Amino acid sequence: MEKLKFDANGLITAVVQDDAEGEVLMVAWMNAKAIRLTKETGEAHFWSRSREEIWRKGSTSGNVMKVVKLLVDCDQDTILVQVNPSGPACHTGEVSCFFQELRD
Ligand SMILES: [Zn+2]
């Protein structure tokens, strides 16, 4: 935990991946408290930059994410959250937030 490199706002990027499928589901932000709550509860918690509050994934949608493993990258500035999702990751109802191909 001490080794993690949080940004100036105390946040770190969190990439969320389906543990079984390998699919990238979403990207969010975590702070130290979100990481602690995630470890304690086994459910993914994030920091909402828009609402400026801790956010338990699925608290409103019911689509809770059970955390299988937390990995940190080589630079200690990004966390990979491997989960068993209980429903779509995206608020649009898509399985993953990355369902739109970027075109020019
Ligand atoms: Zn989304």
Side-chain angles (χ1 to χ4, degrees), residues 15-79:
V15 178
V16 183
Q17 179 185 38
D18 187 312
D19 180 63
E21 304 294 331
E23 186 170 10
V24 175
L25 299 176
M26 56 183 280
V27 171
W29 296 89
M30 296 175 110
N31 59 11
K33 186 179 179 185
I35 295 170
R36 180 168 55 77
L37 287 170
T38 296
K39 287 181 174 175
E40 287 177 1
T41 64
E43 296 176 350
H45 288 66
F46 303 104
W47 174 257
S48 169
R49 291 187 300 175
S50 55
R51 298 194 305 273
E52 297 189 322
E53 63 183 21
I54 293 282
W55 155 54
R56 173 178 163 267
K57 177 67 180 172
S59 59
T60 52
S61 66
N63 297 327
V64 172
M65 292 176 159
K66 295 289 184 187
V67 175
V68 178
K69 192 184 285 184
L70 291 170
L71 298 169
V72 61
D73 82 341
C74 53
D75 299 318
Q76 287 89 44
D77 64 359
T78 306
I79 292 175

Side-chain angles (χ1 to χ4, degrees), residues 25-26 89-92 96-97 99:
L25 299 176
M26 56 183 280
C90 188
H91 73 282
T92 62
S96 164
C97 283
F99 60 89

